Amino acid sequence: MIHKSWETSKTIKQIECVHNNAEKFVVDKVLTPGKVYDVKNETEEFYFILDNSGRIGGFYKEYFKEIS
């Protein structure tokens, strides 16, 4: 049940949203292009971030670029 403590866990890295044009899902209300988000967990396909709603959400990596 590690996902219950993600909101308060240490940030792994920061990423920048490059677009919010999803084919299947509505993400334009929780992601803002150009905004930097804190990554709380990561899998091969998803980033788990604190989104605009203030909650943890899992999003495809294609919406982001890593900040150097």
Side-chain angles (χ1 to χ4, degrees):
M1 296 242 216
I2 191 170
H3 66 281
K4 292 193 174 199
S5 64
W6 280 350
E7 289 180 11
T8 58
S9 66
K10 186 173 99 175
T11 299
I12 297 172
K13 61 183 165 185
Q14 290 191 315
I15 54 176
E16 181 180 349
C17 180
V18 291
H19 73 84
N20 60 3
N21 302 322
E23 292 180 23
K24 294 183 181 179
F25 307 103
V26 179
V27 299
D28 61 340
K29 293 182 176 27
V30 293
L31 293 179
T32 304
K35 184 173 178 181
V36 174
Y37 294 94
D38 293 334
V39 177
K40 298 298 184 172
N41 196 8
E42 178 180 4
T43 65
E44 194 172 303
E45 193 174 4
F46 297 99
Y47 287 125
F48 294 90
I49 64 167
L50 280 169
D51 61 22
N52 293 350
S53 69
R55 306 286 313 263
I56 294 289
F59 300 94
Y60 287 115
K61 289 184 173 183
E62 68 185 55
Y63 304 126
F64 305 96
K65 71 176 180 180
E66 292 192 21
I67 298 173
S68 308

